[in-house]
Amino acid sequence: MAQETKILHAETIHIPEDLLHQLILPRLPCKPLARFKAVSKAFQAMISSDTIFSTLQSLSPSPASTGFVHVQESGLSFFPNQDVIGIPNPSLKFMIKSPEHVKLLSSANGLLLFYLFHPVYSLCVCNPATMQKKILPKEPEQDIIRREMGLAFDPRLASGRYTVVNPLFKTSPDGITYSFNVFRSETGEWKFSQQRVFVPGSINAPSRPVYAKGMLYWMCLDYLLWFDPENDCAGTISLPYYKNLESARQEVEVFKDEISCLCLTSEGGVEVWVLTAGAQWKRLHELSITNQIHESPENQCFGLRGYEILGQYSDSVRNFVTPLAFDGRNVYVSVDSKAWSRKMDLVTTPKRITFDRDVLVSVTEDYNFSDMEFDADDDCETDYEENLLYCDMVTGKVVNTGKSIIRTNRNYRVFYYHNSMVVLPPILK
């Protein structure tokens, strides 16, 4: 008798709709999530226009759809995973004809704030994942759109709104006073906050804004200026202290709603500090770049000129390296190994540093390398390329990603970004 063959039929597994819509789909990367729109009309409506779903997706982003954004000649560019971020049109053609006509000012929970140069000067808030944009009304009595403007957006707010804050300052012999002009989407108007922050001492203009936990922050050399748009309050927080602050190079970053301070010290080290709940700084990581150069002579990740000079002069690290971002483990930096030759071309005095076919030949003993300053926000007449590296703060390795960043006088800033399907809130009047 023939042996009966038993065929097992798998039962159809039913996933409750609330579990699917609230816990599973919102955590998918944006690229497969966009393909799910073709499954059914219900999925299409949920992913495209359901505000509850888009809010959940924005609050629980997939790591594959999270990274850092900046503007290049071709439009938006992302690292470390350019291909999986999932922006449908990174060229920004839905917003403007050419990326040369924009400057990226701020980023907050999937929304970006741009300064448009063409056809007219204006501010624009957009969601590149949904290709929605809103042109903001012109700020009264302000002819210049400042690059320090910050965008605040929290999808957890039931009303769904965003705020743009322009930090203004006036100097006096005693110090500097900050004030804040605020645009709110729910009113459609600019209005000056009553808050004023006075800081005694030298002039410290606000730098690139970052947004975390409902607060906007600007680095002002040795302290953070902060503004809370929901509660209309402001103040300052001291940055990590260094004996020779002028010889250090700091940048304030945000990752997963946490504020961090990246510092390149005059001794050639990289440090990562995080801001705790008590407004105190805690050092998480430290790494010596120069030690790795000495220990691994074959490592050419800095370029030949950079390798030669960094190997001899630890205090020159900050002149070559610009801190860009921190992802919880790795510190991303850009390295310009040709900055020395460009800087020397601008010096009218006889050259005191000599190269032959990119090899360092001689440096006079009386040359002071600490006098050569390079600022990432300096205006540059010519665009040029820098190598993108990351410092693994756990293993202590510095790795060349093989990618590069085109530095321009308009777009060099890098912001934390995660793809969000949230519907861009309207401007009400």
Side-chain angles (χ1 to χ4, degrees):
M1 185 174 62
Q3 184 178 1
E4 294 183 1
T5 302
K6 295 183 179 180
I7 301 177
L8 299 178
H9 297 279
E11 296 183 0
T12 302
I13 299 176
H14 174 71
I15 301 177
E17 286 193 9
D18 56 346
L19 183 63
L20 183 66
H21 294 177
Q22 297 179 21
L23 295 178
I24 298 177
L25 290 181
R27 288 171 168 78
L28 292 180
C30 277
K31 275 193 172 182
L33 190 60
R35 291 195 291 266
F36 268 99
K37 292 181 181 180
V39 172
S40 66
K41 291 183 178 180
F43 273 38
Q44 165 74 23
M46 178 188 65
I47 297 172
S48 301
S49 57
D50 189 318
T51 56
I52 296 178
F53 174 82
S54 63
T55 299
L56 291 171
Q57 187 272 335
S58 181
L59 293 175
S60 54
S62 165
S65 300
T66 299
F68 303 95
V69 61
H70 57 110
V71 174
Q72 297 284 260
E73 294 177 344
S74 59
L76 294 180
S77 183
F78 302 88
F79 65 85
N81 299 315
Q82 170 79 21
D83 296 333
V84 299
I85 291 293
I87 294 297
N89 191 352
S91 68
L92 298 176
K93 292 289 180 65
F94 69 94
M95 188 177 70
I96 198 169
K97 292 183 178 180
S98 172
E100 296 178 356
H101 299 148
V102 305
K103 175 182 281 187
L104 179 57
L105 300 179
S106 189
S107 172
N109 289 312
L111 300 189
L112 300 177
L113 175 66
F114 288 95
Y115 176 21
L116 308 185
F117 297 89
H118 182 80
V120 294
Y121 294 152
S122 57
L123 285 171
C124 178
V125 174
C126 86
N127 184 341
T130 61
M131 294 193 295
Q132 296 174 297
K133 66 175 183 178
K134 299 290 181 182
I135 302 297
L136 274 59
K138 186 177 180 181
E139 184 181 11
E141 302 177 1
Q142 294 293 331
D143 296 330
I144 301 176
I145 296 181
R146 302 179 183 274
R147 62 181 180 177
E148 299 85 10
M149 283 187 175
L151 173 66
F153 171 67
D154 189 343
R156 290 169 292 191
L157 297 177
S159 59
R161 57 184 182 270
Y162 53 86
T163 306
V164 176
V165 180
N166 187 2
L168 307 173
F169 61 93
K170 291 184 178 180
T171 60
S172 67
D174 298 328
I176 183 170
T177 300
Y178 297 98
S179 60
F180 306 90
N181 201 9
V182 183
F183 173 83
R184 301 183 186 277
S185 62
E186 70 268 27
T187 64
E189 297 178 344
W190 289 91
K191 184 178 180 180
F192 276 99
S193 167
Q194 298 299 314
Q195 294 295 314
R196 299 291 184 272
V197 178
F198 175 76
V199 180
S202 59
I203 299 175
N204 294 325
S207 66
R208 178 183 62 88
V210 294
Y211 177 73
K213 294 181 178 177
M215 310 272 283
L216 277 165
Y217 297 87
W218 297 265
M219 191 181 72
C220 303
L221 187 59
D222 55 349
Y223 58 86
L224 280 182
L225 174 69
W226 60 266
F227 182 79
D228 183 346
E230 284 297 306
N231 300 304
D232 193 26
C233 55
T236 60
I237 299 172
S238 297
L239 284 170
Y241 173 76
Y242 293 93
K243 293 181 179 180
N244 192 355
L245 184 62
E246 294 182 357
S247 297
R249 189 169 191 173
Q250 293 175 301
E251 189 65 73
V252 175
E253 301 290 341
V254 61
F255 179 75
K256 292 185 177 179
D257 231 16
E258 295 291 341
I259 293 293
S260 61
C261 179
L262 313 181
C263 182
L264 297 175
T265 66
S266 59
E267 294 79 19
V270 179
E271 295 184 357
V272 179
W273 298 72
V274 294
L275 188 63
T276 64
Q280 300 295 321
W281 292 97
K282 177 183 178 181
R283 185 165 59 186
L284 282 187
H285 304 288
E286 58 181 324
L287 170 66
S288 172
I289 292 179
T290 52
N291 282 350
Q292 183 179 164
I293 292 175
H294 290 304
E295 294 171 2
S296 305
E298 73 282 357
N299 190 345
Q300 298 293 319
C301 61
F302 289 93
L304 193 52
R305 291 188 178 187
Y307 168 79
E308 293 284 351
I309 297 177
L310 284 171
Q312 299 184 45
Y313 303 93
S314 61
D315 63 349
S316 64
V317 168
R318 64 193 179 91
N319 293 327
F320 271 92
V321 183
T322 301
L324 298 178
F326 176 60
D327 66 4
R329 171 168 177 160
N330 302 308
V331 174
Y332 290 87
V333 299
S334 65
V335 176
D336 179 17
S337 59
K338 297 182 180 179
W340 294 90
S341 59
R342 280 197 301 274
K343 195 70 173 180
M344 290 294 97
D345 290 340
L346 301 177
V347 178
T348 56
T349 57
K351 305 283 192 301
R352 286 178 280 182
I353 180 170
T354 305
F355 290 94
D356 181 13
R357 296 181 181 179
D358 279 351
V359 178
L360 180 67
V361 175
S362 64
V363 179
T364 57
E365 294 181 358
D366 61 341
Y367 194 86
N368 185 4
F369 281 85
S370 63
D371 290 340
M372 298 181 63
E373 299 278 348
F374 302 94
D375 188 347
D377 284 334
D378 282 346
D379 287 342
C380 311
E381 294 182 358
T382 305
D383 301 347
Y384 53 92
E385 191 174 39
E386 295 189 355
N387 297 327
L388 178 64
L389 287 69
Y390 68 85
C391 306
D392 189 321
M393 305 305 290
V394 176
T395 65
K397 298 297 183 181
V398 180
V399 181
N400 192 338
T401 66
K403 301 176 182 178
S404 60
I405 291 180
I406 304 298
R407 174 173 171 177
T408 71
N409 63 334
R410 287 184 179 177
N411 286 304
Y412 187 66
R413 296 176 171 186
V414 172
F415 294 89
Y416 172 69
Y417 175 83
H418 71 78
N419 224 341
S420 171
M421 305 297 291
V422 70
V423 177
L424 185 64
I427 297 176
L428 304 178
K429 294 184 180 179

PDB file of all heavy atoms in Angstrom, residues 108-109 151-157 163 165 210-217 226-233 254 257 259:
ATOM      1  N   ALA A 108      14.283  69.598  11.271  1.00  0.00           N
ATOM      2  CA  ALA A 108      13.559  69.201  12.481  1.00  0.00           C
ATOM      3  C   ALA A 108      12.547  68.117  12.151  1.00  0.00           C
ATOM      4  O   ALA A 108      11.558  68.380  11.456  1.00  0.00           O
ATOM      5  CB  ALA A 108      12.855  70.401  13.117  1.00  0.00           C
ATOM      6  N   ASN A 109      12.805  66.890  12.592  1.00  0.00           N
ATOM      7  CA  ASN A 109      11.850  65.777  12.512  1.00  0.00           C
ATOM      8  C   ASN A 109      11.264  65.579  11.111  1.00  0.00           C
ATOM      9  O   ASN A 109      10.054  65.420  10.933  1.00  0.00           O
ATOM     10  CB  ASN A 109      10.727  65.978  13.528  1.00  0.00           C
ATOM     11  CG  ASN A 109      11.200  65.775  14.952  1.00  0.00           C
ATOM     12  OD1 ASN A 109      11.870  64.798  15.273  1.00  0.00           O
ATOM     13  ND2 ASN A 109      10.877  66.724  15.823  1.00  0.00           N
ATOM     14  N   LEU A 151      14.466  75.951  12.737  1.00  0.00           N
ATOM     15  CA  LEU A 151      13.135  75.375  12.541  1.00  0.00           C
ATOM     16  C   LEU A 151      12.816  74.448  13.697  1.00  0.00           C
ATOM     17  O   LEU A 151      13.621  73.584  14.059  1.00  0.00           O
ATOM     18  CB  LEU A 151      13.095  74.598  11.223  1.00  0.00           C
ATOM     19  CG  LEU A 151      11.826  73.787  10.932  1.00  0.00           C
ATOM     20  CD1 LEU A 151      10.630  74.716  10.743  1.00  0.00           C
ATOM     21  CD2 LEU A 151      12.031  72.902   9.704  1.00  0.00           C
ATOM     22  N   ALA A 152      11.639  74.633  14.294  1.00  0.00           N
ATOM     23  CA  ALA A 152      11.163  73.776  15.379  1.00  0.00           C
ATOM     24  C   ALA A 152       9.881  73.093  14.926  1.00  0.00           C
ATOM     25  O   ALA A 152       8.923  73.755  14.522  1.00  0.00           O
ATOM     26  CB  ALA A 152      10.910  74.600  16.640  1.00  0.00           C
ATOM     27  N   PHE A 153       9.884  71.748  14.994  1.00  0.00           N
ATOM     28  CA  PHE A 153       8.695  70.983  14.618  1.00  0.00           C
ATOM     29  C   PHE A 153       8.671  69.700  15.423  1.00  0.00           C
ATOM     30  O   PHE A 153       9.625  68.920  15.413  1.00  0.00           O
ATOM     31  CB  PHE A 153       8.694  70.657  13.128  1.00  0.00           C
ATOM     32  CG  PHE A 153       7.607  69.700  12.732  1.00  0.00           C
ATOM     33  CD1 PHE A 153       6.274  70.063  12.801  1.00  0.00           C
ATOM     34  CD2 PHE A 153       7.915  68.413  12.307  1.00  0.00           C
ATOM     35  CE1 PHE A 153       5.268  69.171  12.459  1.00  0.00           C
ATOM     36  CE2 PHE A 153       6.929  67.513  11.957  1.00  0.00           C
ATOM     37  CZ  PHE A 153       5.601  67.899  12.031  1.00  0.00           C
ATOM     38  N   ASP A 154       7.571  69.477  16.133  1.00  0.00           N
ATOM     39  CA  ASP A 154       7.392  68.278  16.941  1.00  0.00           C
ATOM     40  C   ASP A 154       6.095  67.606  16.525  1.00  0.00           C
ATOM     41  O   ASP A 154       5.009  68.133  16.787  1.00  0.00           O
ATOM     42  CB  ASP A 154       7.345  68.633  18.435  1.00  0.00           C
ATOM     43  CG  ASP A 154       7.380  67.403  19.326  1.00  0.00           C
ATOM     44  OD1 ASP A 154       7.124  66.295  18.811  1.00  0.00           O
ATOM     45  OD2 ASP A 154       7.664  67.547  20.522  1.00  0.00           O
ATOM     46  N   PRO A 155       6.134  66.442  15.845  1.00  0.00           N
ATOM     47  CA  PRO A 155       4.911  65.782  15.376  1.00  0.00           C
ATOM     48  C   PRO A 155       4.013  65.287  16.502  1.00  0.00           C
ATOM     49  O   PRO A 155       2.862  64.927  16.261  1.00  0.00           O
ATOM     50  CB  PRO A 155       5.437  64.619  14.533  1.00  0.00           C
ATOM     51  CG  PRO A 155       6.810  64.367  15.049  1.00  0.00           C
ATOM     52  CD  PRO A 155       7.347  65.700  15.474  1.00  0.00           C
ATOM     53  N   ARG A 156       4.527  65.288  17.733  1.00  0.00           N
ATOM     54  CA  ARG A 156       3.703  64.834  18.850  1.00  0.00           C
ATOM     55  C   ARG A 156       2.652  65.859  19.249  1.00  0.00           C
ATOM     56  O   ARG A 156       1.699  65.533  19.955  1.00  0.00           O
ATOM     57  CB  ARG A 156       4.595  64.511  20.045  1.00  0.00           C
ATOM     58  CG  ARG A 156       5.447  63.274  19.857  1.00  0.00           C
ATOM     59  CD  ARG A 156       6.485  63.127  20.925  1.00  0.00           C
ATOM     60  NE  ARG A 156       7.516  64.168  20.823  1.00  0.00           N
ATOM     61  CZ  ARG A 156       8.652  64.157  21.489  1.00  0.00           C
ATOM     62  NH1 ARG A 156       8.916  63.164  22.307  1.00  0.00           N
ATOM     63  NH2 ARG A 156       9.542  65.122  21.335  1.00  0.00           N
ATOM     64  N   LEU A 157       2.834  67.101  18.828  1.00  0.00           N
ATOM     65  CA  LEU A 157       1.849  68.126  19.152  1.00  0.00           C
ATOM     66  C   LEU A 157       0.567  67.856  18.380  1.00  0.00           C
ATOM     67  O   LEU A 157       0.572  67.698  17.159  1.00  0.00           O
ATOM     68  CB  LEU A 157       2.385  69.515  18.806  1.00  0.00           C
ATOM     69  CG  LEU A 157       3.635  69.946  19.591  1.00  0.00           C
ATOM     70  CD1 LEU A 157       4.110  71.305  19.111  1.00  0.00           C
ATOM     71  CD2 LEU A 157       3.345  69.986  21.077  1.00  0.00           C
ATOM     72  N   THR A 163       7.509  76.132  13.870  1.00  0.00           N
ATOM     73  CA  THR A 163       7.935  77.466  14.266  1.00  0.00           C
ATOM     74  C   THR A 163       9.305  77.743  13.664  1.00  0.00           C
ATOM     75  O   THR A 163      10.162  76.860  13.636  1.00  0.00           O
ATOM     76  CB  THR A 163       8.011  77.588  15.800  1.00  0.00           C
ATOM     77  OG1 THR A 163       6.755  77.207  16.364  1.00  0.00           O
ATOM     78  CG2 THR A 163       8.338  79.010  16.226  1.00  0.00           C
ATOM     79  N   VAL A 165      12.498  80.461  14.090  1.00  0.00           N
ATOM     80  CA  VAL A 165      13.011  81.451  15.033  1.00  0.00           C
ATOM     81  C   VAL A 165      14.269  82.092  14.454  1.00  0.00           C
ATOM     82  O   VAL A 165      15.203  81.394  14.039  1.00  0.00           O
ATOM     83  CB  VAL A 165      13.337  80.807  16.397  1.00  0.00           C
ATOM     84  CG1 VAL A 165      13.865  81.855  17.369  1.00  0.00           C
ATOM     85  CG2 VAL A 165      12.104  80.114  16.968  1.00  0.00           C
ATOM     86  N   VAL A 210      20.360  73.771  15.943  1.00  0.00           N
ATOM     87  CA  VAL A 210      19.952  72.373  16.065  1.00  0.00           C
ATOM     88  C   VAL A 210      18.699  72.325  16.939  1.00  0.00           C
ATOM     89  O   VAL A 210      18.483  73.199  17.782  1.00  0.00           O
ATOM     90  CB  VAL A 210      21.056  71.480  16.663  1.00  0.00           C
ATOM     91  CG1 VAL A 210      22.249  71.404  15.723  1.00  0.00           C
ATOM     92  CG2 VAL A 210      21.501  71.987  18.022  1.00  0.00           C
ATOM     93  N   TYR A 211      17.881  71.293  16.728  1.00  0.00           N
ATOM     94  CA  TYR A 211      16.594  71.195  17.432  1.00  0.00           C
ATOM     95  C   TYR A 211      16.484  69.831  18.097  1.00  0.00           C
ATOM     96  O   TYR A 211      16.719  68.794  17.465  1.00  0.00           O
ATOM     97  CB  TYR A 211      15.443  71.382  16.437  1.00  0.00           C
ATOM     98  CG  TYR A 211      14.073  71.228  17.043  1.00  0.00           C
ATOM     99  CD1 TYR A 211      13.533  72.201  17.887  1.00  0.00           C
ATOM    100  CD2 TYR A 211      13.296  70.090  16.772  1.00  0.00           C
ATOM    101  CE1 TYR A 211      12.268  72.058  18.436  1.00  0.00           C
ATOM    102  CE2 TYR A 211      12.032  69.944  17.308  1.00  0.00           C
ATOM    103  CZ  TYR A 211      11.520  70.932  18.148  1.00  0.00           C
ATOM    104  OH  TYR A 211      10.266  70.788  18.698  1.00  0.00           O
ATOM    105  N   ALA A 212      16.131  69.828  19.377  1.00  0.00           N
ATOM    106  CA  ALA A 212      15.958  68.574  20.111  1.00  0.00           C
ATOM    107  C   ALA A 212      15.043  68.807  21.300  1.00  0.00           C
ATOM    108  O   ALA A 212      15.152  69.823  21.995  1.00  0.00           O
ATOM    109  CB  ALA A 212      17.301  68.034  20.587  1.00  0.00           C
ATOM    110  N   LYS A 213      14.133  67.870  21.537  1.00  0.00           N
ATOM    111  CA  LYS A 213      13.236  67.892  22.693  1.00  0.00           C
ATOM    112  C   LYS A 213      12.521  69.228  22.856  1.00  0.00           C
ATOM    113  O   LYS A 213      12.413  69.772  23.949  1.00  0.00           O
ATOM    114  CB  LYS A 213      14.017  67.544  23.967  1.00  0.00           C
ATOM    115  CG  LYS A 213      14.545  66.117  23.968  1.00  0.00           C
ATOM    116  CD  LYS A 213      15.289  65.777  25.237  1.00  0.00           C
ATOM    117  CE  LYS A 213      15.755  64.328  25.210  1.00  0.00           C
ATOM    118  NZ  LYS A 213      16.563  63.964  26.403  1.00  0.00           N
ATOM    119  N   GLY A 214      12.050  69.768  21.735  1.00  0.00           N
ATOM    120  CA  GLY A 214      11.271  70.992  21.766  1.00  0.00           C
ATOM    121  C   GLY A 214      12.076  72.265  21.897  1.00  0.00           C
ATOM    122  O   GLY A 214      11.490  73.349  21.995  1.00  0.00           O
ATOM    123  N   MET A 215      13.405  72.171  21.868  1.00  0.00           N
ATOM    124  CA  MET A 215      14.256  73.337  22.087  1.00  0.00           C
ATOM    125  C   MET A 215      15.158  73.575  20.876  1.00  0.00           C
ATOM    126  O   MET A 215      15.663  72.633  20.273  1.00  0.00           O
ATOM    127  CB  MET A 215      15.126  73.133  23.321  1.00  0.00           C
ATOM    128  CG  MET A 215      14.371  72.677  24.552  1.00  0.00           C
ATOM    129  SD  MET A 215      13.746  74.040  25.510  1.00  0.00           S
ATOM    130  CE  MET A 215      15.249  74.549  26.327  1.00  0.00           C
ATOM    131  N   LEU A 216      15.376  74.855  20.561  1.00  0.00           N
ATOM    132  CA  LEU A 216      16.348  75.245  19.557  1.00  0.00           C
ATOM    133  C   LEU A 216      17.624  75.697  20.252  1.00  0.00           C
ATOM    134  O   LEU A 216      17.570  76.404  21.266  1.00  0.00           O
ATOM    135  CB  LEU A 216      15.803  76.375  18.686  1.00  0.00           C
ATOM    136  CG  LEU A 216      14.901  75.949  17.527  1.00  0.00           C
ATOM    137  CD1 LEU A 216      14.129  77.146  16.972  1.00  0.00           C
ATOM    138  CD2 LEU A 216      15.726  75.284  16.419  1.00  0.00           C
ATOM    139  N   TYR A 217      18.779  75.295  19.686  1.00  0.00           N
ATOM    140  CA  TYR A 217      20.073  75.633  20.278  1.00  0.00           C
ATOM    141  C   TYR A 217      20.983  76.243  19.210  1.00  0.00           C
ATOM    142  O   TYR A 217      20.967  75.816  18.050  1.00  0.00           O
ATOM    143  CB  TYR A 217      20.768  74.386  20.842  1.00  0.00           C
ATOM    144  CG  TYR A 217      20.037  73.697  21.968  1.00  0.00           C
ATOM    145  CD1 TYR A 217      19.065  72.739  21.688  1.00  0.00           C
ATOM    146  CD2 TYR A 217      20.329  73.973  23.300  1.00  0.00           C
ATOM    147  CE1 TYR A 217      18.397  72.077  22.717  1.00  0.00           C
ATOM    148  CE2 TYR A 217      19.667  73.316  24.327  1.00  0.00           C
ATOM    149  CZ  TYR A 217      18.702  72.374  24.029  1.00  0.00           C
ATOM    150  OH  TYR A 217      18.038  71.716  25.045  1.00  0.00           O
ATOM    151  N   TRP A 226      19.775  79.056  23.899  1.00  0.00           N
ATOM    152  CA  TRP A 226      18.623  78.203  23.643  1.00  0.00           C
ATOM    153  C   TRP A 226      17.323  78.999  23.704  1.00  0.00           C
ATOM    154  O   TRP A 226      17.243  80.035  24.372  1.00  0.00           O
ATOM    155  CB  TRP A 226      18.553  77.025  24.618  1.00  0.00           C
ATOM    156  CG  TRP A 226      18.440  77.388  26.084  1.00  0.00           C
ATOM    157  CD1 TRP A 226      19.460  77.514  26.976  1.00  0.00           C
ATOM    158  CD2 TRP A 226      17.233  77.664  26.811  1.00  0.00           C
ATOM    159  NE1 TRP A 226      18.983  77.847  28.219  1.00  0.00           N
ATOM    160  CE2 TRP A 226      17.609  77.954  28.144  1.00  0.00           C
ATOM    161  CE3 TRP A 226      15.887  77.703  26.490  1.00  0.00           C
ATOM    162  CZ2 TRP A 226      16.676  78.269  29.144  1.00  0.00           C
ATOM    163  CZ3 TRP A 226      14.957  78.021  27.475  1.00  0.00           C
ATOM    164  CH2 TRP A 226      15.355  78.294  28.777  1.00  0.00           C
ATOM    165  N   PHE A 227      16.330  78.505  22.958  1.00  0.00           N
ATOM    166  CA  PHE A 227      15.009  79.128  22.935  1.00  0.00           C
ATOM    167  C   PHE A 227      13.962  78.034  22.887  1.00  0.00           C
ATOM    168  O   PHE A 227      14.056  77.101  22.087  1.00  0.00           O
ATOM    169  CB  PHE A 227      14.862  80.051  21.732  1.00  0.00           C
ATOM    170  CG  PHE A 227      13.538  80.766  21.672  1.00  0.00           C
ATOM    171  CD1 PHE A 227      13.298  81.873  22.464  1.00  0.00           C
ATOM    172  CD2 PHE A 227      12.531  80.317  20.826  1.00  0.00           C
ATOM    173  CE1 PHE A 227      12.075  82.529  22.412  1.00  0.00           C
ATOM    174  CE2 PHE A 227      11.307  80.962  20.768  1.00  0.00           C
ATOM    175  CZ  PHE A 227      11.079  82.075  21.567  1.00  0.00           C
ATOM    176  N   ASP A 228      12.963  78.138  23.763  1.00  0.00           N
ATOM    177  CA  ASP A 228      11.855  77.196  23.837  1.00  0.00           C
ATOM    178  C   ASP A 228      10.635  77.847  23.194  1.00  0.00           C
ATOM    179  O   ASP A 228       9.995  78.719  23.799  1.00  0.00           O
ATOM    180  CB  ASP A 228      11.560  76.844  25.297  1.00  0.00           C
ATOM    181  CG  ASP A 228      10.459  75.809  25.443  1.00  0.00           C
ATOM    182  OD1 ASP A 228       9.739  75.554  24.460  1.00  0.00           O
ATOM    183  OD2 ASP A 228      10.315  75.247  26.540  1.00  0.00           O
ATOM    184  N   PRO A 229      10.270  77.488  21.946  1.00  0.00           N
ATOM    185  CA  PRO A 229       9.165  78.166  21.266  1.00  0.00           C
ATOM    186  C   PRO A 229       7.792  77.884  21.863  1.00  0.00           C
ATOM    187  O   PRO A 229       6.881  78.702  21.741  1.00  0.00           O
ATOM    188  CB  PRO A 229       9.262  77.641  19.828  1.00  0.00           C
ATOM    189  CG  PRO A 229       9.997  76.357  19.926  1.00  0.00           C
ATOM    190  CD  PRO A 229      10.925  76.497  21.082  1.00  0.00           C
ATOM    191  N   GLU A 230       7.616  76.734  22.523  1.00  0.00           N
ATOM    192  CA  GLU A 230       6.307  76.417  23.100  1.00  0.00           C
ATOM    193  C   GLU A 230       6.030  77.242  24.348  1.00  0.00           C
ATOM    194  O   GLU A 230       4.910  77.684  24.576  1.00  0.00           O
ATOM    195  CB  GLU A 230       6.239  74.928  23.438  1.00  0.00           C
ATOM    196  CG  GLU A 230       6.037  74.035  22.229  1.00  0.00           C
ATOM    197  CD  GLU A 230       4.718  74.306  21.524  1.00  0.00           C
ATOM    198  OE1 GLU A 230       3.667  74.272  22.190  1.00  0.00           O
ATOM    199  OE2 GLU A 230       4.756  74.564  20.315  1.00  0.00           O
ATOM    200  N   ASN A 231       7.043  77.444  25.168  1.00  0.00           N
ATOM    201  CA  ASN A 231       6.865  78.166  26.424  1.00  0.00           C
ATOM    202  C   ASN A 231       7.408  79.585  26.382  1.00  0.00           C
ATOM    203  O   ASN A 231       7.362  80.296  27.383  1.00  0.00           O
ATOM    204  CB  ASN A 231       7.547  77.387  27.555  1.00  0.00           C
ATOM    205  CG  ASN A 231       6.968  76.002  27.728  1.00  0.00           C
ATOM    206  OD1 ASN A 231       5.767  75.835  27.927  1.00  0.00           O
ATOM    207  ND2 ASN A 231       7.813  74.986  27.627  1.00  0.00           N
ATOM    208  N   ASP A 232       7.954  79.973  25.232  1.00  0.00           N
ATOM    209  CA  ASP A 232       8.485  81.322  25.039  1.00  0.00           C
ATOM    210  C   ASP A 232       9.461  81.703  26.158  1.00  0.00           C
ATOM    211  O   ASP A 232       9.250  82.673  26.895  1.00  0.00           O
ATOM    212  CB  ASP A 232       7.349  82.348  24.966  1.00  0.00           C
ATOM    213  CG  ASP A 232       7.844  83.697  24.463  1.00  0.00           C
ATOM    214  OD1 ASP A 232       8.859  83.723  23.739  1.00  0.00           O
ATOM    215  OD2 ASP A 232       7.227  84.724  24.810  1.00  0.00           O
ATOM    216  N   CYS A 233      10.510  80.931  26.286  1.00  0.00           N
ATOM    217  CA  CYS A 233      11.555  81.241  27.257  1.00  0.00           C
ATOM    218  C   CYS A 233      12.913  80.961  26.625  1.00  0.00           C
ATOM    219  O   CYS A 233      13.014  80.234  25.629  1.00  0.00           O
ATOM    220  CB  CYS A 233      11.377  80.461  28.555  1.00  0.00           C
ATOM    221  SG  CYS A 233      11.284  78.673  28.358  1.00  0.00           S
ATOM    222  N   VAL A 254      22.934  67.084  16.969  1.00  0.00           N
ATOM    223  CA  VAL A 254      21.799  66.383  17.567  1.00  0.00           C
ATOM    224  C   VAL A 254      21.666  65.026  16.894  1.00  0.00           C
ATOM    225  O   VAL A 254      21.863  64.891  15.690  1.00  0.00           O
ATOM    226  CB  VAL A 254      20.491  67.198  17.413  1.00  0.00           C
ATOM    227  CG1 VAL A 254      20.148  67.419  15.950  1.00  0.00           C
ATOM    228  CG2 VAL A 254      19.330  66.507  18.123  1.00  0.00           C
ATOM    229  N   ASP A 257      17.304  63.021  19.213  1.00  0.00           N
ATOM    230  CA  ASP A 257      16.779  63.972  20.197  1.00  0.00           C
ATOM    231  C   ASP A 257      17.742  64.230  21.353  1.00  0.00           C
ATOM    232  O   ASP A 257      17.328  64.686  22.417  1.00  0.00           O
ATOM    233  CB  ASP A 257      15.434  63.505  20.763  1.00  0.00           C
ATOM    234  CG  ASP A 257      14.377  64.610  20.687  1.00  0.00           C
ATOM    235  OD1 ASP A 257      14.589  65.587  19.943  1.00  0.00           O
ATOM    236  OD2 ASP A 257      13.357  64.500  21.376  1.00  0.00           O
ATOM    237  N   ILE A 259      21.360  66.232  22.477  1.00  0.00           N
ATOM    238  CA  ILE A 259      22.337  67.243  22.095  1.00  0.00           C
ATOM    239  C   ILE A 259      23.739  66.751  22.449  1.00  0.00           C
ATOM    240  O   ILE A 259      23.983  66.282  23.557  1.00  0.00           O
ATOM    241  CB  ILE A 259      22.063  68.580  22.807  1.00  0.00           C
ATOM    242  CG1 ILE A 259      20.745  69.181  22.309  1.00  0.00           C
ATOM    243  CG2 ILE A 259      23.193  69.571  22.586  1.00  0.00           C
ATOM    244  CD1 ILE A 259      20.781  69.628  20.866  1.00  0.00           C
TER     245      ILE A 259
END
